[in-house]
Amino acid sequence: NTMSLQSKIMDVMKDAMRSKDTIALEALRAIKSELLLAQTATGTKEDISEADEIKILQRLVKMRKDSAEIFTTQNRPDLAEPEWAQIAVIEQFLPAQLSEDEITSIIAKIISETGASGIASMGKVMGLASAQIGGQAEGKVISGIVKKLLV
């Protein structure tokens, strides 16, 4: 049985506390509170699914990427840096991300297997691609490639 995400985070958190890594701690606490919120929302004592955990982690990464990009456009590298540092901390709990080439070939295969064509098939292809790619790519990246290949 693989270690739960929560216990992995606790382990990394202990290391971060020992090394007084405040940026890592901030990122880890954010993950922890999001996981707790998600668990409370389901009203069960059970752990949330791995797919849900991945969605939470991706959302946290996206929020920080958005902030980092805003800070960068405002010419505030001092504020962007910690956001990127937190992203690196969060990404270690995500499945390895696929490259655009890998995503493109998966989607191309889905399109040829289903005979999908045109933007009308977008929903179907997105569904299949998301199921296959799972947490290994951001939805935005997947839909961008689907659009490009279907047109």
Side-chain angles (χ1 to χ4, degrees), residues 65-130:
K65 272 188 182 155
D66 293 346
S67 301
E69 280 160 17
I70 292 166
F71 291 139
T72 305
T73 56
Q74 293 171 341
N75 219 359
R76 293 293 308 269
D78 56 314
L79 295 176
E81 265 312 296
E83 298 291 336
W84 289 115
Q86 282 197 33
I87 289 168
V89 173
I90 299 167
E91 281 183 336
Q92 66 184 336
F93 300 104
L94 277 168
Q97 300 293 290
L98 296 172
S99 70
E100 284 206 20
D101 291 344
E102 290 170 309
I103 300 166
T104 303
S105 71
I106 291 170
I107 293 170
K109 192 164 167 265
I110 291 170
I111 291 172
S112 73
E113 282 170 3
T114 58
S117 69
I119 214 73
S121 314
M122 173 120 188
K124 184 167 99 178
V125 175
M126 269 304 291
L128 293 166
S130 298

Side-chain angles (χ1 to χ4, degrees), residues 6 33-46 48:
Q6 294 200 346
S33 67
E34 286 290 325
L35 289 173
L36 281 172
L37 279 174
Q39 234 169 340
T40 322
T42 60
T44 58
K45 286 277 160 271
E46 288 164 44
I48 51 176

